[in-house]
Amino acid sequence: MMPFAQADAFYARLAAANPTPKSELTYCNPYTLLVAVVLSAQATDIGVNKATGPLFATVSTPAAMVALGEDKLAEAIRTIGLYKTKARNVIALSRLLLDRHDGQVPETRDALEALPGVGRKTANVVLNVAFGQPTIAVDTHCFRVANRTGMAPGKTVLEVEEGLLRATPARWMEHAHHWLILHGRYVCKARKPACGTCIVSDLCGYGAKEPG
Ligand code: SF4
């Protein structure tokens, strides 16, 4: 695992370049964030936003989603992969929010993970982004950056998440998830990491640094 001071400097550089990183998913309240994250599984944020932009303009609560119904929701999100399964899950989770949580998105991991289509990663995003809790959602970009840089190496998503929670200084926890994702998406890319222009190159433990 990366030493504390090195990880602190790593985040400080990312923070200086982008002080308040934001989710690239479009949402207007905790509920639409939850729905957008559920829809984003195996899909791009841009693709999800294209469908949810018009949808969330008129449907932004569990009650409105249930009123819309599964067939119309599926039609509205048909450009997103696995849309039929996702439409079923979104309607089911919206019903559960109404039945068990008074139409509100719960602020605990257990309650979130009990919702259809919501796994650990989705719960981590919602807890962090909507409620400011110190969680780190590990997606493919975050997993790669944690392993390549040596910040928190691990073979499984859970191992990396637990490593990142230990390696990340408290002052960076709020935005750690977004900094790592954005760094992986735009700089430390899967096929060709841009090590030559990377602002944390001297702090990174990747042995086979690429030139550009
Ligand atoms: S130096 Fe290269 S491998 Fe290391 S974080 Fe930057 S882009 Fe990724």
PDB file of all heavy atoms in Angstrom, residues 1 4 13 22 34 45-47 59 66 72-73 87 95 102 109 111 116 139 142 146-147 183 187 197 205 210:
ATOM      1  N   MET A   1       0.839  -1.200   0.000  1.00  0.00           N
ATOM      2  CA  MET A   1       0.000   0.000   0.000  1.00  0.00           C
ATOM      3  C   MET A   1       0.878   1.255   0.000  1.00  0.00           C
ATOM      4  O   MET A   1       1.958   1.263   0.576  1.00  0.00           O
ATOM      5  CB  MET A   1      -0.901  -0.018   1.234  1.00  0.00           C
ATOM      6  CG  MET A   1      -1.889   1.127   1.254  1.00  0.00           C
ATOM      7  SD  MET A   1      -2.996   1.045   2.665  1.00  0.00           S
ATOM      8  CE  MET A   1      -3.869  -0.456   2.305  1.00  0.00           C
ATOM      9  N   PHE A   4       1.324   6.802   3.683  1.00  0.00           N
ATOM     10  CA  PHE A   4       0.323   7.832   3.951  1.00  0.00           C
ATOM     11  C   PHE A   4       0.701   9.185   3.331  1.00  0.00           C
ATOM     12  O   PHE A   4      -0.120   9.827   2.658  1.00  0.00           O
ATOM     13  CB  PHE A   4       0.164   7.986   5.471  1.00  0.00           C
ATOM     14  CG  PHE A   4      -0.925   8.925   5.870  1.00  0.00           C
ATOM     15  CD1 PHE A   4      -2.246   8.497   5.956  1.00  0.00           C
ATOM     16  CD2 PHE A   4      -0.645  10.254   6.148  1.00  0.00           C
ATOM     17  CE1 PHE A   4      -3.253   9.376   6.315  1.00  0.00           C
ATOM     18  CE2 PHE A   4      -1.658  11.139   6.506  1.00  0.00           C
ATOM     19  CZ  PHE A   4      -2.953  10.687   6.589  1.00  0.00           C
ATOM     20  N   ARG A  13      -2.464  16.741  -5.304  1.00  0.00           N
ATOM     21  CA  ARG A  13      -2.281  17.157  -6.710  1.00  0.00           C
ATOM     22  C   ARG A  13      -3.600  17.086  -7.482  1.00  0.00           C
ATOM     23  O   ARG A  13      -3.943  18.004  -8.225  1.00  0.00           O
ATOM     24  CB  ARG A  13      -1.290  16.210  -7.402  1.00  0.00           C
ATOM     25  CG  ARG A  13       0.088  16.248  -6.805  1.00  0.00           C
ATOM     26  CD  ARG A  13       1.082  16.958  -7.681  1.00  0.00           C
ATOM     27  NE  ARG A  13       2.378  16.839  -7.028  1.00  0.00           N
ATOM     28  CZ  ARG A  13       3.267  15.904  -7.336  1.00  0.00           C
ATOM     29  NH1 ARG A  13       3.034  15.050  -8.313  1.00  0.00           N
ATOM     30  NH2 ARG A  13       4.415  15.845  -6.693  1.00  0.00           N
ATOM     31  N   LYS A  22     -17.146  16.435  -9.709  1.00  0.00           N
ATOM     32  CA  LYS A  22     -18.576  16.091  -9.666  1.00  0.00           C
ATOM     33  C   LYS A  22     -18.819  14.796 -10.446  1.00  0.00           C
ATOM     34  O   LYS A  22     -18.073  14.456 -11.350  1.00  0.00           O
ATOM     35  CB  LYS A  22     -19.408  17.203 -10.340  1.00  0.00           C
ATOM     36  CG  LYS A  22     -19.302  18.551  -9.653  1.00  0.00           C
ATOM     37  CD  LYS A  22     -20.377  18.704  -8.601  1.00  0.00           C
ATOM     38  CE  LYS A  22     -20.464  20.085  -8.016  1.00  0.00           C
ATOM     39  NZ  LYS A  22     -19.276  20.553  -7.340  1.00  0.00           N
ATOM     40  N   LEU A  34     -29.850   7.850  -7.489  1.00  0.00           N
ATOM     41  CA  LEU A  34     -29.938   6.399  -7.318  1.00  0.00           C
ATOM     42  C   LEU A  34     -30.348   5.730  -8.641  1.00  0.00           C
ATOM     43  O   LEU A  34     -29.726   4.754  -9.073  1.00  0.00           O
ATOM     44  CB  LEU A  34     -30.960   6.076  -6.217  1.00  0.00           C
ATOM     45  CG  LEU A  34     -31.322   4.612  -6.013  1.00  0.00           C
ATOM     46  CD1 LEU A  34     -30.110   3.790  -5.596  1.00  0.00           C
ATOM     47  CD2 LEU A  34     -32.430   4.475  -4.963  1.00  0.00           C
ATOM     48  N   ASP A  45     -21.748   7.057 -18.804  1.00  0.00           N
ATOM     49  CA  ASP A  45     -22.506   8.157 -18.193  1.00  0.00           C
ATOM     50  C   ASP A  45     -23.188   8.993 -19.274  1.00  0.00           C
ATOM     51  O   ASP A  45     -24.337   9.421 -19.103  1.00  0.00           O
ATOM     52  CB  ASP A  45     -21.571   9.050 -17.370  1.00  0.00           C
ATOM     53  CG  ASP A  45     -21.097   8.349 -16.094  1.00  0.00           C
ATOM     54  OD1 ASP A  45     -21.515   7.198 -15.853  1.00  0.00           O
ATOM     55  OD2 ASP A  45     -20.303   8.957 -15.346  1.00  0.00           O
ATOM     56  N   ILE A  46     -22.492   9.220 -20.377  1.00  0.00           N
ATOM     57  CA  ILE A  46     -23.066  10.039 -21.462  1.00  0.00           C
ATOM     58  C   ILE A  46     -24.319   9.378 -22.011  1.00  0.00           C
ATOM     59  O   ILE A  46     -25.353  10.033 -22.234  1.00  0.00           O
ATOM     60  CB  ILE A  46     -22.025  10.250 -22.580  1.00  0.00           C
ATOM     61  CG1 ILE A  46     -20.871  11.114 -22.052  1.00  0.00           C
ATOM     62  CG2 ILE A  46     -22.647  10.883 -23.824  1.00  0.00           C
ATOM     63  CD1 ILE A  46     -19.682  11.216 -22.997  1.00  0.00           C
ATOM     64  N   GLY A  47     -24.249   8.071 -22.218  1.00  0.00           N
ATOM     65  CA  GLY A  47     -25.407   7.334 -22.735  1.00  0.00           C
ATOM     66  C   GLY A  47     -26.575   7.378 -21.765  1.00  0.00           C
ATOM     67  O   GLY A  47     -27.728   7.549 -22.174  1.00  0.00           O
ATOM     68  N   VAL A  59     -40.148  13.015 -14.451  1.00  0.00           N
ATOM     69  CA  VAL A  59     -40.238  11.923 -13.474  1.00  0.00           C
ATOM     70  C   VAL A  59     -39.035  11.999 -12.547  1.00  0.00           C
ATOM     71  O   VAL A  59     -37.938  11.583 -12.913  1.00  0.00           O
ATOM     72  CB  VAL A  59     -40.272  10.555 -14.195  1.00  0.00           C
ATOM     73  CG1 VAL A  59     -40.343   9.422 -13.184  1.00  0.00           C
ATOM     74  CG2 VAL A  59     -41.435  10.481 -15.162  1.00  0.00           C
ATOM     75  N   VAL A  66     -43.438   5.063 -10.469  1.00  0.00           N
ATOM     76  CA  VAL A  66     -44.411   3.969 -10.416  1.00  0.00           C
ATOM     77  C   VAL A  66     -45.617   4.309 -11.299  1.00  0.00           C
ATOM     78  O   VAL A  66     -46.148   3.451 -12.008  1.00  0.00           O
ATOM     79  CB  VAL A  66     -44.848   3.704  -8.953  1.00  0.00           C
ATOM     80  CG1 VAL A  66     -46.038   2.755  -8.904  1.00  0.00           C
ATOM     81  CG2 VAL A  66     -43.671   3.124  -8.156  1.00  0.00           C
ATOM     82  N   LYS A  72     -43.456   2.082 -20.117  1.00  0.00           N
ATOM     83  CA  LYS A  72     -43.074   3.432 -20.581  1.00  0.00           C
ATOM     84  C   LYS A  72     -41.648   3.767 -20.143  1.00  0.00           C
ATOM     85  O   LYS A  72     -40.921   4.459 -20.859  1.00  0.00           O
ATOM     86  CB  LYS A  72     -44.055   4.484 -20.050  1.00  0.00           C
ATOM     87  CG  LYS A  72     -45.369   4.468 -20.810  1.00  0.00           C
ATOM     88  CD  LYS A  72     -46.238   5.624 -20.413  1.00  0.00           C
ATOM     89  CE  LYS A  72     -47.547   5.562 -21.184  1.00  0.00           C
ATOM     90  NZ  LYS A  72     -48.597   6.355 -20.556  1.00  0.00           N
ATOM     91  N   LEU A  73     -41.249   3.285 -18.963  1.00  0.00           N
ATOM     92  CA  LEU A  73     -39.870   3.524 -18.541  1.00  0.00           C
ATOM     93  C   LEU A  73     -38.912   2.797 -19.472  1.00  0.00           C
ATOM     94  O   LEU A  73     -37.900   3.372 -19.914  1.00  0.00           O
ATOM     95  CB  LEU A  73     -39.667   3.046 -17.091  1.00  0.00           C
ATOM     96  CG  LEU A  73     -38.220   3.104 -16.596  1.00  0.00           C
ATOM     97  CD1 LEU A  73     -37.662   4.534 -16.683  1.00  0.00           C
ATOM     98  CD2 LEU A  73     -38.105   2.570 -15.175  1.00  0.00           C
ATOM     99  N   ALA A  87     -35.336  -1.413 -16.183  1.00  0.00           N
ATOM    100  CA  ALA A  87     -36.668  -0.805 -15.994  1.00  0.00           C
ATOM    101  C   ALA A  87     -37.426  -1.563 -14.905  1.00  0.00           C
ATOM    102  O   ALA A  87     -38.064  -0.955 -14.038  1.00  0.00           O
ATOM    103  CB  ALA A  87     -37.447  -0.826 -17.304  1.00  0.00           C
ATOM    104  N   ARG A  95     -41.132   1.212  -5.843  1.00  0.00           N
ATOM    105  CA  ARG A  95     -42.237   0.720  -4.998  1.00  0.00           C
ATOM    106  C   ARG A  95     -41.754   0.493  -3.567  1.00  0.00           C
ATOM    107  O   ARG A  95     -42.436   0.841  -2.597  1.00  0.00           O
ATOM    108  CB  ARG A  95     -42.781  -0.603  -5.561  1.00  0.00           C
ATOM    109  CG  ARG A  95     -43.677  -0.419  -6.749  1.00  0.00           C
ATOM    110  CD  ARG A  95     -44.756  -1.521  -6.835  1.00  0.00           C
ATOM    111  NE  ARG A  95     -45.557  -1.280  -8.026  1.00  0.00           N
ATOM    112  CZ  ARG A  95     -45.307  -1.811  -9.212  1.00  0.00           C
ATOM    113  NH1 ARG A  95     -44.298  -2.648  -9.351  1.00  0.00           N
ATOM    114  NH2 ARG A  95     -46.057  -1.511 -10.245  1.00  0.00           N
ATOM    115  N   ASP A 102     -41.084   5.750   2.971  1.00  0.00           N
ATOM    116  CA  ASP A 102     -41.858   6.978   2.823  1.00  0.00           C
ATOM    117  C   ASP A 102     -41.447   7.756   1.569  1.00  0.00           C
ATOM    118  O   ASP A 102     -41.500   8.996   1.545  1.00  0.00           O
ATOM    119  CB  ASP A 102     -41.659   7.845   4.082  1.00  0.00           C
ATOM    120  CG  ASP A 102     -42.823   8.767   4.313  1.00  0.00           C
ATOM    121  OD1 ASP A 102     -43.901   8.517   3.748  1.00  0.00           O
ATOM    122  OD2 ASP A 102     -42.640   9.767   5.046  1.00  0.00           O
ATOM    123  N   ARG A 109     -26.286   1.685   4.298  1.00  0.00           N
ATOM    124  CA  ARG A 109     -25.879   0.699   3.296  1.00  0.00           C
ATOM    125  C   ARG A 109     -26.856  -0.474   3.239  1.00  0.00           C
ATOM    126  O   ARG A 109     -27.271  -0.899   2.162  1.00  0.00           O
ATOM    127  CB  ARG A 109     -24.477   0.198   3.626  1.00  0.00           C
ATOM    128  CG  ARG A 109     -24.010  -0.924   2.707  1.00  0.00           C
ATOM    129  CD  ARG A 109     -22.679  -1.493   3.115  1.00  0.00           C
ATOM    130  NE  ARG A 109     -21.667  -0.469   3.158  1.00  0.00           N
ATOM    131  CZ  ARG A 109     -21.141   0.109   2.077  1.00  0.00           C
ATOM    132  NH1 ARG A 109     -21.536  -0.272   0.878  1.00  0.00           N
ATOM    133  NH2 ARG A 109     -20.229   1.044   2.185  1.00  0.00           N
ATOM    134  N   ALA A 111     -30.008  -0.758   3.995  1.00  0.00           N
ATOM    135  CA  ALA A 111     -31.301  -0.436   3.380  1.00  0.00           C
ATOM    136  C   ALA A 111     -31.140  -0.213   1.874  1.00  0.00           C
ATOM    137  O   ALA A 111     -31.992  -0.630   1.083  1.00  0.00           O
ATOM    138  CB  ALA A 111     -31.894   0.803   4.041  1.00  0.00           C
ATOM    139  N   PRO A 116     -33.871  -3.593  -5.158  1.00  0.00           N
ATOM    140  CA  PRO A 116     -33.582  -4.344  -6.380  1.00  0.00           C
ATOM    141  C   PRO A 116     -32.602  -3.582  -7.288  1.00  0.00           C
ATOM    142  O   PRO A 116     -32.768  -2.378  -7.503  1.00  0.00           O
ATOM    143  CB  PRO A 116     -34.950  -4.461  -7.066  1.00  0.00           C
ATOM    144  CG  PRO A 116     -35.940  -4.259  -5.980  1.00  0.00           C
ATOM    145  CD  PRO A 116     -35.304  -3.328  -4.993  1.00  0.00           C
ATOM    146  N   ASP A 139     -15.146   1.404  -9.200  1.00  0.00           N
ATOM    147  CA  ASP A 139     -15.545   0.959 -10.535  1.00  0.00           C
ATOM    148  C   ASP A 139     -14.278   0.508 -11.264  1.00  0.00           C
ATOM    149  O   ASP A 139     -13.196   0.436 -10.686  1.00  0.00           O
ATOM    150  CB  ASP A 139     -16.291   2.065 -11.285  1.00  0.00           C
ATOM    151  CG  ASP A 139     -15.355   3.158 -11.765  1.00  0.00           C
ATOM    152  OD1 ASP A 139     -14.202   3.226 -11.269  1.00  0.00           O
ATOM    153  OD2 ASP A 139     -15.744   3.940 -12.652  1.00  0.00           O
ATOM    154  N   CYS A 142     -11.381   3.164 -11.063  1.00  0.00           N
ATOM    155  CA  CYS A 142     -10.841   3.268  -9.710  1.00  0.00           C
ATOM    156  C   CYS A 142      -9.999   2.028  -9.381  1.00  0.00           C
ATOM    157  O   CYS A 142      -8.907   2.120  -8.805  1.00  0.00           O
ATOM    158  CB  CYS A 142     -12.051   3.361  -8.776  1.00  0.00           C
ATOM    159  SG  CYS A 142     -11.701   3.953  -7.176  1.00  0.00           S
ATOM    160  N   ALA A 146      -5.990   2.264  -8.521  1.00  0.00           N
ATOM    161  CA  ALA A 146      -5.535   1.803  -7.202  1.00  0.00           C
ATOM    162  C   ALA A 146      -4.445   0.744  -7.348  1.00  0.00           C
ATOM    163  O   ALA A 146      -3.455   0.738  -6.611  1.00  0.00           O
ATOM    164  CB  ALA A 146      -6.708   1.251  -6.407  1.00  0.00           C
ATOM    165  N   ASN A 147      -4.623  -0.144  -8.319  1.00  0.00           N
ATOM    166  CA  ASN A 147      -3.642  -1.214  -8.522  1.00  0.00           C
ATOM    167  C   ASN A 147      -2.379  -0.707  -9.211  1.00  0.00           C
ATOM    168  O   ASN A 147      -1.273  -0.993  -8.765  1.00  0.00           O
ATOM    169  CB  ASN A 147      -4.262  -2.351  -9.344  1.00  0.00           C
ATOM    170  CG  ASN A 147      -4.947  -3.372  -8.444  1.00  0.00           C
ATOM    171  OD1 ASN A 147      -4.308  -4.095  -7.699  1.00  0.00           O
ATOM    172  ND2 ASN A 147      -6.267  -3.394  -8.495  1.00  0.00           N
ATOM    173  N   HIS A 183      -9.444  10.428 -12.905  1.00  0.00           N
ATOM    174  CA  HIS A 183      -8.043  10.219 -13.282  1.00  0.00           C
ATOM    175  C   HIS A 183      -7.922   8.964 -14.152  1.00  0.00           C
ATOM    176  O   HIS A 183      -7.207   8.965 -15.156  1.00  0.00           O
ATOM    177  CB  HIS A 183      -7.172  10.092 -12.030  1.00  0.00           C
ATOM    178  CG  HIS A 183      -5.712  10.139 -12.336  1.00  0.00           C
ATOM    179  ND1 HIS A 183      -5.111  11.253 -12.872  1.00  0.00           N
ATOM    180  CD2 HIS A 183      -4.733   9.202 -12.224  1.00  0.00           C
ATOM    181  CE1 HIS A 183      -3.819  10.993 -13.070  1.00  0.00           C
ATOM    182  NE2 HIS A 183      -3.572   9.757 -12.681  1.00  0.00           N
ATOM    183  N   VAL A 187      -6.879  10.040 -17.797  1.00  0.00           N
ATOM    184  CA  VAL A 187      -5.402  10.077 -17.797  1.00  0.00           C
ATOM    185  C   VAL A 187      -4.815   8.662 -17.705  1.00  0.00           C
ATOM    186  O   VAL A 187      -4.116   8.196 -18.606  1.00  0.00           O
ATOM    187  CB  VAL A 187      -4.863  10.956 -16.643  1.00  0.00           C
ATOM    188  CG1 VAL A 187      -3.333  11.013 -16.691  1.00  0.00           C
ATOM    189  CG2 VAL A 187      -5.453  12.364 -16.695  1.00  0.00           C
ATOM    190  N   THR A 197       2.291  13.000 -19.273  1.00  0.00           N
ATOM    191  CA  THR A 197       1.675  14.265 -18.863  1.00  0.00           C
ATOM    192  C   THR A 197       0.927  14.132 -17.536  1.00  0.00           C
ATOM    193  O   THR A 197       0.198  15.046 -17.141  1.00  0.00           O
ATOM    194  CB  THR A 197       0.693  14.770 -19.940  1.00  0.00           C
ATOM    195  OG1 THR A 197      -0.234  13.723 -20.231  1.00  0.00           O
ATOM    196  CG2 THR A 197       1.419  15.169 -21.215  1.00  0.00           C
ATOM    197  N   GLY A 205       3.574   4.286  -8.493  1.00  0.00           N
ATOM    198  CA  GLY A 205       4.483   3.141  -8.450  1.00  0.00           C
ATOM    199  C   GLY A 205       4.432   2.258  -9.686  1.00  0.00           C
ATOM    200  O   GLY A 205       5.006   1.179  -9.688  1.00  0.00           O
ATOM    201  N   GLU A 210       4.113   4.719 -19.511  1.00  0.00           N
ATOM    202  CA  GLU A 210       4.008   5.034 -20.941  1.00  0.00           C
ATOM    203  C   GLU A 210       4.464   6.463 -21.160  1.00  0.00           C
ATOM    204  O   GLU A 210       4.298   7.312 -20.288  1.00  0.00           O
ATOM    205  CB  GLU A 210       2.548   4.902 -21.392  1.00  0.00           C
ATOM    206  CG  GLU A 210       1.962   3.522 -21.222  1.00  0.00           C
ATOM    207  CD  GLU A 210       2.300   2.602 -22.368  1.00  0.00           C
ATOM    208  OE1 GLU A 210       2.739   3.098 -23.411  1.00  0.00           O
ATOM    209  OE2 GLU A 210       2.144   1.376 -22.195  1.00  0.00           O
TER     210      GLU A 210
END
